[in-house]
Amino acid sequence: MFAKILIANRGEIACRVIRTARKMGVRCVAVYSDADAKAMHVAMADEAVHIGPSPVGESYLRGDKIVAAALATGAQAIHPGYGFLSENPDFVDQVTAAGLTFIGPSAASIRAMGLKDAAKRLMEKAGVPVVPGYHGEAQEIVLLASKAREIGYPVLIKARAGGGGKGMRRVEHPDDFSEALSGARREAKAAFGDDRVLVEKYVDKPRHIEVQVFGDNFGNAVHLYERDCSAQRRHQKVIEEAPAPGMTAALRKAMTEAAVKAAKAIGYSGAGTIEFIVDASQGLKADRFWFMEMNTRLQVEHPVTEMVTGTDLVEWQLRVAAGEKLPKIQSEITLSGHAIEARIYAEDAAKGFLPATGTLHHLKFPDAAPEGATMRIETGVRAGDAISPFYDPMIAKLVVHGKDRPAALDALGSALAQTEIAGSTVNTAFLAALATDVDFAAGDVDTGLIGRHQDALTVVPPPSDETVAAAALAASGAGAQAPSDDPWSSLAGYAHFHTVARRTRLRHGEADILARVSVRPDGRFEVALDSPYEAVNSHDLRAVPRLARWPGHITVFEGATSYNFAVPDPLAKVDEAAAASDTLRAPMPGLVKLVRVGKGDAVTKGQPLLILEAMKMEHTIAAPHDGVIAEIAVEGAQVSDGTVLVRFAEQDQG
């Protein structure tokens, strides 16, 4: 076994690898960028090496710096985690050329499966079913459009490199093909440096079911059953589970045999995932699944497989890379119970899952799962850490295991309701709504479910009067001198003989809230809210919802939903001009990728004005109202959060 390894990654996966390595007595070297100098994975590691500025192209994608760090610290092997360089065969060559071990498959295996078109041709030869489509080398738009017509609409345009839903577009009509192709190519080029695509038949009710495979250097390969990753938004996974709901014995047998056949076809060694698309329009049938792609690395969702099979896949990775045989043979790998993973992101689900940034001023996860269930939290952040625009905005993976799927869903809902995050917009309420969605709970899930139910899943109900009252009580100064978040602890001491009222003001969304907080002689309190809220009187202090204070704000938690209230500085002047509608500002830091209109153009409400690329995804910025463009951002400009992107000409009031 290795004495020391370097982890060429960051965040939760780096922390995850460190935990297993430490359990095995293996020392770990972390690498970090400027933004990650004080990150959790750096603090956990035995050693840490700085590798460059915050942008990934200058740090985590610099294979030369990572190999140099491994050599300088005496590491014997490099674990790539997922993302970044994990599926880069040139990096594998760099590692092995330096005399180090790459903890993963060979460069040849990665090259064989790294490009979707070539991989599908290889799978066809191996007898693995593939999705009908065009997987050729020619990329002329006329040819691709012609192939799309032959396949039959709707079709799916997919980047041939990479994954994560980037460079992917569904096209319903021939007239939309050209624009969709351009968008897919731009996104693929930005994410993977390769703008070539393939075109496939779009399956009407697709399930995304994948099989975990594992091989060693002795020709052995096994599967660890399937995972269902159909719950997706914008082609990116949100909730994953194992086993797949409704899985039949016949389909499982056919699918797992095909997955192992695929792994053996390329002499695969290490952890890998064979992803299949399944047509669920007539139920799960053994002749209605097709190979989609292979991820030649550990998956984000690997914990659900670990929980239902009782394995540690990172330990398997280390053992196989160190030259050992697979720890188990196929007959020794069994399924037990049901596991579900929910990805907690810093994002605004109500605004099309717009990525968010911010400082995690308050971060609290459940202490334990409900009775009869188990839980694990996979995270790479702590309270006080910042969610930066440079990296994926995932905060944590909440993973639960129960005796069956209903038990696991109950445990997931309970855990989400106890999770508290303040300082950034997060998706916990969306995840809780999805877990209780009628179709999802029944196991009737496909990749379009979230899109169909998005409005219902992302709507945020207004805060209850009790929630607003709790925020007003905290904003009044209650608890300011107390070490806890107990909102009445500083009020109760000074009103033993008469009622004292404090007026307070706060803001929720666009609503200004005025309140009067009174403390009675017996220590009870009363909060009276002015319109639009009704007066709220509470005599049970312990019934106040959970809350957290952070600079200029109070967050109150109602189940999995968090309500943020701004507490205005009474000495600050209100800038009424800031509320004017003649400007459109960037909702997040990013790159102005494409400008669709010019100065002097008349535009209508909802019309796309420009495309902003942030976190390797494209976001369309549309006109908030009719108007005439006076100024617009320059294509290629890097903008920060709040930068004016568009300025509209003043409207003629005459």
Side-chain angles (χ1 to χ4, degrees):
M1 182 48 60
F2 308 112
K4 182 189 290 187
I5 65 171
L6 180 142
I7 302 165
N9 219 296
R10 63 176 302 280
E12 62 88 13
I13 185 57
C15 296
R16 163 74 187 89
V17 174
I18 290 171
R19 283 194 295 272
T20 287
R22 180 170 293 159
K23 180 184 69 174
M24 298 175 67
V26 178
R27 293 176 61 81
C28 293
V29 179
V31 293
Y32 65 93
S33 67
D34 289 347
D36 282 340
K38 297 182 180 180
M40 184 173 171
H41 76 281
V42 174
M44 287 180 64
D46 299 291
E47 301 173 61
V49 179
H50 177 251
I51 54 170
S54 302
V56 295
E58 301 175 52
S59 52
Y60 295 106
L61 291 179
R62 288 291 301 272
D64 56 337
K65 290 186 176 183
I66 291 169
V67 169
L71 293 173
T73 55
Q76 301 159 290
I78 294 179
H79 194 300
Y82 52 71
F84 295 145
L85 295 169
S86 63
E87 295 181 280
N88 186 319
D90 294 335
F91 177 62
V92 179
D93 288 337
Q94 280 182 283
V95 172
T96 55
L100 303 170
T101 299
F102 181 76
I103 302 174
S106 67
S109 291
I110 295 176
R111 287 191 175 98
M113 304 302 277
L115 298 178
K116 297 182 180 69
D117 51 356
K120 289 181 178 180
R121 291 194 294 270
L122 178 62
M123 290 299 99
E124 283 181 309
K125 290 180 181 178
V128 177
V130 301
V131 182
Y134 173 71
H135 309 131
E137 290 288 340
Q139 293 288 299
E140 294 80 6
I141 185 172
V142 174
L143 173 67
L144 294 176
S146 172
K147 292 295 183 182
R149 285 191 174 88
E150 289 178 17
I151 296 165
Y153 285 88
V155 298
L156 196 63
I157 300 172
K158 297 173 65 175
R160 74 168 197 161
K166 299 178 179 68
M168 186 180 294
R169 296 289 189 278
R170 175 181 174 175
V171 191
E172 297 283 351
H173 192 274
D175 292 345
D176 302 323
F177 187 84
S178 178
E179 184 172 357
L181 177 63
S182 297
R185 281 177 165 166
R186 281 194 308 271
E187 201 167 89
K189 184 70 173 178
F192 318 119
D194 185 344
D195 66 356
R196 286 169 288 184
V197 301
L198 48 85
V199 183
E200 294 180 342
K201 176 66 179 174
Y202 185 84
V203 179
D204 288 329
K205 190 175 182 181
R207 289 270 296 270
H208 180 139
I209 301 177
E210 60 190 30
V211 176
Q212 177 72 59
V213 294
F214 222 107
D216 62 20
N217 295 309
F218 300 91
N220 302 308
V222 297
H223 69 80
L224 290 95
Y225 298 96
E226 80 281 351
R227 296 184 290 256
D228 194 301
C229 306
S230 301
Q232 303 177 7
R233 88 288 188 266
R234 301 184 67 176
H235 304 296
Q236 291 187 309
K237 301 166 186 175
V238 175
I239 289 182
E240 304 99 343
E241 54 186 310
M247 175 58 72
T248 65
L251 178 57
R252 176 174 289 145
K253 182 176 185 296
M255 190 174 284
T256 54
E257 286 179 353
V260 172
K261 185 186 296 183
K264 287 186 174 182
I266 57 171
Y268 195 79
S269 176
T273 297
I274 310 295
E275 299 193 344
F276 296 102
I277 197 76
V278 181
D279 182 356
S281 59
Q282 298 178 5
L284 298 182
K285 296 186 176 181
D287 62 348
R288 302 296 290 171
F289 75 96
W290 302 280
F291 171 85
M292 190 163 51
E293 61 184 337
M294 181 178 189
N295 287 313
T296 52
R297 54 169 167 81
L298 197 66
Q299 291 282 84
V300 177
E301 57 272 20
H302 76 273
V304 295
T305 293
E306 293 183 323
M307 295 187 88
V308 296
T309 59
T311 58
D312 183 332
L313 295 179
V314 174
E315 179 179 344
W316 281 36
Q317 285 186 298
L318 294 177
R319 294 195 180 283
V320 166
E324 297 181 21
K325 289 186 177 181
L326 288 175
K328 292 183 178 182
I329 61 174
Q330 191 65 66
S331 61
E332 295 174 323
I333 304 170
T334 57
L335 278 174
S336 176
H338 198 96
I340 303 177
E341 173 182 289
R343 302 188 190 188
I344 300 177
Y345 281 101
E347 66 181 12
D348 192 336
K351 293 183 179 178
F353 304 102
L354 200 65
T357 56
T359 298
L360 301 175
H361 291 284
H362 178 83
L363 182 64
K364 181 181 178 183
F365 296 111
D367 295 325
E371 185 176 355
T374 56
M375 176 185 67
R376 57 193 265 193
I377 305 294
E378 300 284 348
T379 186
V381 295
R382 301 150 299 186
D385 287 349
I387 302 298
S388 114
F390 296 106
Y391 313 119
D392 185 271
M394 187 166 67
I395 295 172
K397 300 183 307 195
L398 194 161
V399 196
V400 296
H401 179 270
K403 64 179 181 179
D404 52 27
R405 191 169 188 266
L409 282 172
D410 287 346
L412 177 65
S414 174
L416 287 168
Q418 296 176 64
T419 298
E420 300 176 5
I421 304 172
S424 178
T425 303
V426 295
N427 68 337
T428 50
F430 160 72
L431 293 172
L434 177 57
T436 57
D437 175 86
V438 173
D439 289 343
F440 183 84
D444 185 15
V445 59
D446 61 80
T447 59
L449 183 145
I450 291 176
R452 293 193 301 272
H453 299 188
Q454 187 165 326
D455 289 345
L457 293 173
T458 58
V459 66
V460 180
S464 66
D465 286 353
E466 287 73 19
T467 292
V468 178
L473 183 60
S476 70
Q481 300 173 352
S484 70
D485 281 331
D486 186 358
W488 49 86
S489 55
S490 69
L491 282 179
Y494 64 79
H496 291 298
F497 304 108
H498 59 282
T499 299
V500 176
R502 283 190 188 180
R503 293 182 62 83
T504 189
R505 179 185 172 207
L506 56 157
R507 188 173 182 83
H508 176 68
E510 299 299 317
D512 283 310
I513 302 167
L514 297 176
R516 296 181 303 280
V517 179
S518 302
V519 182
R520 299 180 178 184
D522 60 2
R524 295 181 300 172
F525 73 89
E526 178 179 286
V527 180
L529 302 173
D530 289 351
S531 180
Y533 300 94
E534 300 296 330
V536 177
N537 301 319
S538 177
H539 305 298
D540 181 2
L541 303 185
R542 299 301 158 185
V544 173
R546 301 162 293 149
L547 59 84
R549 294 183 184 81
W550 47 289
H553 295 80
I554 292 163
T555 298
V556 182
F557 304 100
E558 244 186 63
T561 304
S562 55
Y563 293 97
N564 294 319
F565 297 86
V567 183
D569 181 350
L571 301 178
K573 293 182 179 180
V574 179
D575 184 5
E576 297 295 340
S581 60
D582 63 343
T583 59
L584 187 58
R585 297 177 181 272
M588 72 190 111
L591 175 71
V592 178
K593 196 70 174 180
L594 181 68
V595 176
R596 294 180 176 273
V597 296
K599 183 177 179 179
D601 287 353
V603 299
T604 57
K605 181 178 180 180
Q607 180 179 339
L609 303 181
L610 55 85
I611 292 175
L612 185 69
E613 181 188 276
M615 299 178 184
K616 299 298 183 184
M617 295 291 286
E618 292 187 353
H619 307 273
T620 299
I621 306 298
H625 53 70
D626 295 352
V628 176
I629 304 296
E631 297 177 36
I632 192 162
V634 178
E635 216 168 271
Q638 190 76 42
V639 298
S640 57
D641 188 7
T643 298
V644 174
L645 296 174
V646 181
R647 193 179 302 280
F648 295 93
E650 292 186 10
Q651 299 294 311
D652 185 359
Q653 302 298 320

